[in-house]
Amino acid sequence: MIRHTPFHPRTSEANQTGLWSHWSGYLAADRYQMADKFEYFAIRNSAGVFDTSPLYKYRFTGRDAERYLAGVLTRDIRKCRPGQAQYTVWCDDEGWVLEDGVVLRLSGDEFLLTAARPNLAYFSDLAAGYSVSVDDVSEEYGALAVQGPVSREVLAELAPEIGSLGFFRLGPAKIGKIPVTVSRTGYTGDLGYEIWVDADRAVEVWDRLFEVAQPRGVIPVGQTALLIARIEAGLVLIDVDFHSARYAWNDDQRVTPIELGMGWMLRRLDEDDRAFIGRRAIEREIEEKSSRWKTVGVVVDWQDWARTHNDRGLITPKDHTPQHGSMMLYDGDLAQVGYVPSFVFSPLLQRHIGIARVRPDHAAGGTRLGLEVNIDHRYAVVDSEVSPLPFFDPERKTA
Amino acid sequence: MSNEYDAIVIGGGHNGLINGAYLARAGLRTLILERRHLVGGAAITEELYPGFQFTTFSYALSLLRPEIVHELELTSHGFMPLQMPTTFCPTDDGDYLLIGEDKDENHHEIARHSKRDADAYDAYNHMMSQVVHAIRPLMDSIPPDITSKDPEERARLAAIGSYLADLPPRVLHDLVRLLTGSAADILEDYFETDIMQGWQASSGIIGSKVGPRSQGSGLVLLYHAFGEHDSVYGAWAFHKGGNGGFTQVLARAAEALGAEIRLESPVERVITSEDRAVGVALEDGTELRAPVVVSALDPRRTFMELVDPRQLPNDLVENVRRLKFQGTSAKVNFALEANPTFPALRGRTDQYRGFINIGPSLDYLERAFDDAKYGWYSSRPYIDSSIQSNIDPEMAPPGKAVMSNFVQYAPYQLRESDWDTEREALGDVVQARLEEVFPGFSDLVLHREVVTPLDIERTVGLTEGNIFAGEFLAPQMFFFRPAPGWNQYRTPIHGYYQCGSGTHPGGCVMGAPGRFASRQILTDLSDA
Ligand SMILES: Cc1cc2nc3c(=O)[nH]c(=O)nc-3n(C[C@H](O)[C@H](O)[C@H](O)COP(=O)(O)OP(=O)(O)OC[C@H]3O[C@@H](n4cnc5c(N)ncnc54)[C@H](O)[C@@H]3O)c2cc1C
């Protein structure tokens, strides 16, 4: 049976479209109202509230928790102090990415990790010999992301202590009388926060939040709005931009952290004495420069996009619905040099943008590539250009 | 501050800013001179009451050419066209028509009023889109000079003939019907209900001294369908911070490209020497020099005030003199304690996320026009309203509301009175009408701003308060905007150009005149 998140009494009221997806076995609103672009603009112009409760959540506690995670996660968790959060990936022995997630370090020996897929057995099996307990606490929390330029103002009114929270910092707070954890994290590339609350008090937090937020134009936002924002922010999505190596059939389905654009997590590898899973393979990849791909942005040439469609009697399409697939990328000789798993017309940037995977020799910013599009059942190749990620990176995100 | 430039643009409305930005982008040392303390002209936003941002004049964005967004890199200067997902049309009997983003939901909503109209709505939209798409290439280029004997111009003229002849006959015929007929003629073919007719017909009267049953309102209807926000013909957006927010973006873009903007610098006249423009003189006597001078003002001011009309050919002067302006639009804007209540939707405010169209039937609009025909403002006016704080929450303090009301008809020439006398009376008429639609409205009012055609003329400089810098009448469009022989942004004075809404394609926050004029100027410079 499909499950409901702790906020369901409120999200079901707010969802006027009846459109829900199944996300990790839970109902998740695609959009709350007919106009998903209006929800998207809430994220960029006021704030949008997104129910992220369906994410899997694992708690690691115990004397060895840090040491354990330092060996499991690819990014050095020891650099993440209590009260800080870290975006990370974890890999298999061959250095292929298994998953990505955010770790919240609640205290010296307590960590909370979000994951898109079930991982309890995987993490538990690795815990043998460590003084760490690994618990699946997915159902204990409701989680709300409050994302957008007014999010700080709204949360600071609810709990002044949140106002000073830095980027990727977290702390305890009280919303009304309800104890919560608030982290300055999110999946929109904007100023934003996530509120973690005991599941049985989730609805109260929602109500209190909207009391303050609603007069400022803050609205609940569904998956479509979030997925537009995350492409602009250059944030990758599992099963779209990459697949877990755990269930891959061949290496075409696998990526390394470097290929996925996470090379920055490994920049100080020489000063890092951890023996973490996949390390040797990653070192080999670096040494042999054997990465097959780079993850970059592509921006479509607006004139060529218009011309290509106008020549076929069509008005230039500007569809803000994210396209997940694999549009092909070609070099000047029409040889395939990459693909675009995530594509969208950004209403804010007014450009068609995509997260792309290209061969390293075609990854330099400004490289011209042809993007294959299907127009009325025929292929056309439209000019595009490699661009650094993220496409959208406002100062307020980290300020 | 230097007084020597390559180009000087007179007027910092959106067309002047766009023109100046393109000239600067081409490497010209460009100066934009604005009379007022802020740029934007008819597209400004002002905090007239603490915490409330008023769009004093222009209030929504649709016709802006998408090329301009890219070429001037407006997104890196804060361009943000917020979606307006609803259109809300109260009917005369307390019911309403609420149109949103979902095609099928709209179908059922219209079917509540008429199943026939629900189907016709799609057919109508498709017809309009096809016509717009067909003539887009003509609107999006500099028209030929119909008076010219130059073989190249003649060839371009002939090419338009062939282009039109190649259109599907149905599209061509619909185009001619729109260009020559009334909005009512066309709408009555599609719709049977008052509310659909009234709602659609309102786009045929905006800014113009025509009623929905007047010949010529079809052209106004077509012109407004020419907008293509995010590639949906006829779709509108609300720029963050209003249209004033948009012109601030333009100013930043122009400056980033190297243009200089001087505020509070009213130009008195263009300085000429032997039929050449050589600079401008400001009202304070300052003289600034440039071989290119561009007027972003309306044709009256461009030809009759900034230069001595005796320097110009007689027929041009004659044509400019008889141009029709006759503004008929006003604004009444409010700061409100809260969103107003619509009784049939008590407790809801999500119907206020776009336009609120108070013009429930053709008869209603036509009667409103009747008053204007005889020199008075409508006793029951057409109101194009929007409560913009529901789209951009920062327009008003949390929980409060700011409301823009575009009002017709309010003729520039009043019979036996004047606008300084009638200003607040007009405000009262509008407020009373809003009170009918939203009972309790007046109790919410914190501040009211009434903008009459005379105020538009005084503040922005648009002659007779015509919002488009010249009526959208067939003899004032395309080949003839602003005058036959002078539709290519040049003037009889060498180096003196025009780029305001009085030039092709015309008014609205569209930017095409400013952009095309810059192209003409740059072509002339490279030919010289
Ligand atoms: C009430 C109203 C509502 C409207 N609503 C809309 C709408 O919602 N959407 C839409 O698309 N269009 C709307 N319009 C039309 C649109 O705003 C205008 O067509 C457009 O803004 C005109 O732009 P412009 O740059 O051509 O001229 P203007 O905006 O008129 O700019 C001319 C500029 O020149 C300056 N100036 C004048 N004289 C001098 C001088 N001697 N020296 C220096 N500077 C001078 C003026 O101060 C002004 O800034 C509306 C217009 C009005 C008046």
Side-chain angles (χ1 to χ4, degrees):
Chain A
M1 256 247 298
I2 195 72
R3 308 175 71 110
H4 294 163
T5 78
F7 298 103
H8 191 73
R10 292 297 175 268
T11 54
S12 59
E13 241 167 46
N15 189 342
Q16 297 163 12
T17 66
L19 291 175
W20 302 87
S21 294
H22 292 179
W23 175 19
S24 299
Y26 289 85
L27 282 183
D30 289 347
R31 50 187 203 247
Y32 287 90
Q33 42 190 311
M34 294 305 187
D36 43 25
K37 192 155 71 171
F38 190 78
E39 294 180 6
Y40 158 80
F41 271 119
I43 297 174
R44 294 295 182 227
N45 189 43
S46 56
V49 176
F50 183 80
D51 179 2
T52 71
S53 309
L55 281 175
Y56 289 91
K57 299 168 216 59
Y58 298 98
R59 182 162 50 217
F60 302 87
T61 41
R63 192 161 31 86
D64 289 342
E66 181 189 87
R67 202 163 59 85
Y68 162 83
L69 286 173
V72 173
L73 302 177
T74 307
R75 196 172 165 196
D76 191 351
I77 192 67
R78 300 169 308 180
K79 300 252 165 69
C80 179
R81 308 313 310 157
Q84 295 184 357
Q86 202 184 58
Y87 172 62
T88 191
V89 296
W90 52 103
C91 295
D92 65 11
D93 281 331
E94 326 297 321
W96 302 118
V97 174
L98 293 173
E99 257 181 72
D100 64 341
V102 171
V103 201
L104 309 184
R105 185 160 194 177
L106 301 171
S107 68
D109 54 9
E110 184 179 6
F111 299 80
L112 189 69
L113 172 69
T114 61
R117 296 281 166 267
N119 273 282
L120 186 67
Y122 176 78
F123 288 134
S124 307
D125 289 352
L126 293 168
Y130 289 88
S131 173
V132 60
S133 78
V134 183
D135 300 293
D136 183 338
V137 293
S138 303
E139 288 171 36
E140 287 177 23
Y141 293 97
L144 277 188
V146 185
Q147 302 282 308
V150 307
S151 57
R152 170 157 37 209
E153 190 182 311
V154 165
L155 290 183
E157 189 172 327
L158 288 166
E161 60 271 31
I162 299 171
S164 56
L165 209 58
F167 186 54
F168 269 83
R169 295 291 191 274
L170 58 99
K174 280 207 164 147
I175 292 184
K177 296 210 163 64
I178 306 145
V180 297
T181 298
V182 176
S183 58
R184 191 158 151 202
T185 49
Y187 196 52
T188 61
D190 218 304
L191 173 64
Y193 301 82
E194 288 170 301
I195 305 172
W196 312 81
V197 55
D198 281 350
D200 53 358
R201 312 222 54 187
V203 168
E204 290 168 76
V205 164
W206 175 286
D207 289 344
R208 184 72 193 108
L209 171 67
F210 275 99
E211 240 171 74
V212 172
Q214 191 267 335
R216 289 184 167 81
V218 178
I219 53 174
V221 301
Q223 301 210 64
T224 308
L226 184 82
L227 293 174
I228 304 170
R230 74 98 192 165
I231 297 177
E232 293 173 339
L235 299 169
V236 294
L237 178 60
I238 192 166
D239 291 342
V240 173
D241 299 299
F242 71 101
H243 299 270
S244 172
R246 256 177 115 183
Y247 305 108
W249 290 85
N250 60 36
D251 288 353
D252 285 339
Q253 298 179 348
R254 301 181 174 101
V255 281
T256 69
I258 294 169
E259 292 171 344
L260 190 55
M262 308 299 170
W264 56 271
M265 290 185 183
L266 301 156
R267 223 170 271 144
R268 292 271 165 77
L269 207 52
D270 47 342
E271 298 166 18
D272 172 352
D273 57 359
R274 291 175 304 137
F276 63 87
I277 301 171
R279 175 168 185 143
R280 224 160 302 137
I282 290 170
E283 279 173 340
R284 209 178 316 121
E285 180 186 352
I286 294 172
E287 201 180 293
E288 294 170 5
K289 297 192 170 56
S290 57
S291 309
R292 305 159 303 165
W293 300 109
K294 278 200 164 164
T295 298
V296 295
V298 285
V299 178
V300 175
D301 181 300
W302 63 272
Q303 277 171 309
D304 201 39
W305 178 266
R307 195 181 314 121
T308 307
H309 289 89
N310 298 165
D311 284 353
R312 288 162 173 77
L314 302 173
I315 183 170
T316 316
K318 294 178 182 170
D319 187 353
H320 61 273
T321 315
Q323 307 293 318
H324 295 159
S326 77
M327 302 161 84
M328 297 301 150
L329 286 171
Y330 298 102
D331 68 8
D333 303 324
L334 287 183
Q336 198 207 324
V337 294
Y339 58 97
V340 179
S342 296
F343 186 74
V344 76
F345 174 74
S346 158
L348 187 67
L349 305 171
Q350 292 282 304
R351 297 296 285 269
H352 290 87
I353 56 174
I355 296 176
R357 188 144 308 124
V358 298
R359 296 295 177 202
D361 52 343
H362 288 83
T367 306
R368 308 290 293 186
L369 297 174
L371 174 72
E372 187 174 71
V373 290
N374 175 330
I375 305 172
D376 292 333
H377 326 294
R378 277 189 245 179
Y379 284 118
V381 177
V382 182
D383 285 348
S384 65
E385 196 176 285
V386 172
S387 132
L389 293 173
F391 300 101
F392 179 70
D393 195 16
E395 270 172 37
R396 62 180 180 250
K397 177 180 87 175
T398 52
Chain B
M1 257 192 301
S2 156
N3 285 348
E4 301 269 343
Y5 295 87
D6 297 329
I8 294 175
V9 182
I10 308 169
H14 82 283
N15 276 314
L17 293 168
I18 286 172
N19 184 263
Y22 275 100
L23 295 180
R25 180 171 172 259
L28 303 193
R29 265 176 55 77
T30 304
L31 173 67
I32 301 168
L33 294 168
E34 168 53 43
R35 182 171 54 98
R36 301 194 66 207
H37 62 283
L38 81 175
V39 295
I44 57 169
T45 304
E46 301 171 288
E47 185 169 322
L48 296 182
Y49 188 74
F52 292 82
Q53 305 297 326
F54 280 67
T55 48
T56 304
F57 309 107
S58 180
Y59 52 101
L61 199 63
S62 174
L63 283 98
L64 175 69
R65 306 327 287 153
E67 294 80 6
I68 295 171
V69 175
H70 298 306
E71 289 164 352
L72 300 182
E73 296 180 23
L74 299 186
T75 56
S76 52
H77 299 284
F79 180 69
M80 198 196 263
L82 302 171
Q83 189 189 26
M84 298 169 73
T86 59
T87 303
F88 179 54
C89 310
T91 59
D92 256 348
D93 58 0
D95 197 357
Y96 60 89
L97 176 75
L98 177 55
I99 296 296
E101 282 295 300
D102 190 88
K103 206 165 169 292
D104 300 306
E105 190 185 41
N106 292 342
H107 178 90
H108 292 294
E109 171 67 0
I110 300 171
R112 231 167 37 81
H113 300 269
S114 154
K115 287 192 172 155
R116 192 181 176 285
D117 284 8
D119 179 33
Y121 182 56
D122 293 338
Y124 173 74
N125 280 335
H126 192 60
M127 179 276 290
M128 287 298 277
S129 296
Q130 286 198 302
V131 172
V132 166
H133 198 68
I135 57 156
R136 193 180 185 273
L138 302 183
M139 293 287 274
D140 271 341
S141 56
I142 300 177
D145 175 359
I146 200 169
T147 69
S148 170
K149 305 271 185 292
D150 180 336
E152 212 175 291
E153 291 295 306
R154 283 296 164 100
R156 290 185 61 212
L157 200 57
I160 292 182
S162 325
Y163 178 81
L164 293 175
D166 282 342
L167 292 178
R170 170 83 201 217
V171 173
L172 179 64
H173 195 216
D174 284 333
L175 169 63
V176 173
R177 296 187 70 212
L178 283 157
L179 290 178
T180 59
S182 76
D185 286 342
I186 288 141
L187 293 167
E188 282 169 343
D189 282 348
Y190 286 88
F191 303 116
E192 62 183 10
T193 57
D194 284 339
I195 192 66
M196 288 300 287
Q197 291 176 351
W199 167 38
Q200 292 298 325
S202 58
S203 296
I205 61 168
I206 294 273
S208 308
K209 195 167 181 181
V210 291
R213 296 202 171 94
S214 313
Q215 309 287 295
S217 53
L219 189 156
V220 180
L221 184 70
L222 176 61
Y223 192 93
H224 283 108
F226 200 62
E228 51 158 276
H229 172 59
D230 282 359
S231 278
V232 180
Y233 285 133
W236 288 81
F238 182 74
H239 194 276
K240 169 145 192 71
N243 276 354
F246 172 63
T247 46
Q248 290 301 316
V249 169
L250 286 180
R252 287 196 288 275
E255 285 175 336
L257 289 163
E260 181 188 331
I261 298 172
R262 282 197 213 169
L263 300 175
E264 297 177 322
S265 304
V267 173
E268 189 185 74
R269 64 189 171 86
V270 176
I271 307 171
T272 59
S273 160
E274 295 172 15
D275 285 345
R276 276 201 147 276
V278 294
V280 301
L282 302 186
E283 277 176 15
D284 67 8
T286 311
E287 295 199 351
L288 303 159
R289 298 277 154 177
V292 170
V293 175
V294 194
S295 166
L297 313 190
D298 74 26
R300 270 290 162 73
R301 300 190 194 275
T302 301
F303 293 110
M304 314 294 271
E305 290 180 13
L306 291 176
V307 297
D308 181 349
R310 282 171 302 187
Q311 282 183 286
L312 304 172
N314 236 330
D315 62 338
L316 170 60
V317 175
E318 189 63 23
N319 277 320
V320 170
R321 205 164 263 146
R322 64 184 191 176
L323 272 177
K324 294 267 178 279
F325 289 91
Q326 49 186 18
T328 46
S329 314
K331 282 289 298 282
V332 182
N333 304 315
F334 294 95
L336 300 174
E337 186 56 49
N339 275 313
T341 302
F342 185 75
L345 292 173
R346 198 171 289 283
R348 270 178 73 176
T349 56
D350 60 346
Q351 69 274 25
Y352 300 144
R353 287 173 176 169
F355 294 125
I356 303 168
N357 194 79
I358 302 177
S361 65
L362 284 173
D363 281 352
Y364 180 98
L365 299 175
E366 193 67 28
R367 288 214 179 88
F369 177 53
D370 285 344
D371 292 321
K373 273 189 281 195
Y374 307 109
W376 207 246
Y377 47 93
S378 313
S379 56
R380 289 172 66 71
Y382 163 65
I383 306 175
D384 186 28
S385 171
S386 49
I387 310 175
Q388 298 150 330
S389 39
N390 292 302
I391 308 156
D392 182 6
E394 283 178 348
M395 297 292 284
K400 310 224 187 294
V402 73
M403 183 189 213
S404 151
N405 294 284
F406 180 87
V407 175
Q408 273 187 211
Y409 297 77
Y412 178 75
Q413 290 285 357
L414 288 177
R415 178 174 32 92
E416 288 167 18
S417 186
D418 59 63
W419 276 115
D420 285 324
T421 314
E422 298 299 329
R423 183 175 296 105
E424 291 309 316
L426 171 69
D428 293 343
V429 164
V430 171
Q431 192 167 326
R433 186 69 186 93
L434 292 169
E435 181 71 39
E436 279 179 33
V437 179
F438 308 108
F441 179 84
S442 288
D443 297 339
L444 302 172
V445 174
L446 299 170
H447 183 78
R448 179 173 94 181
E449 177 198 28
V450 184
V451 183
T452 71
L454 182 64
D455 300 319
I456 297 173
E457 181 178 62
R458 279 181 188 155
T459 312
V460 188
L462 288 163
T463 298
E464 296 181 15
N466 182 286
I467 73 167
F468 301 136
E471 285 257 66
F472 287 168
L473 300 168
Q476 301 190 171
M477 303 301 276
F478 205 67
F479 297 124
F480 313 113
R481 196 167 184 89
W486 304 105
N487 65 333
Q488 296 182 332
Y489 312 96
R490 301 187 185 104
T491 73
I493 298 168
H494 249 71
Y496 183 41
Y497 291 86
Q498 31 169 354
C499 79
S501 293
T503 62
H504 171 81
C508 284
V509 181
M510 185 184 205
R515 176 169 178 261
F516 288 143
S518 72
R519 187 184 295 170
Q520 190 66 283
I521 294 163
L522 296 169
T523 310
D524 289 354
L525 286 176
S526 69
D527 288 351

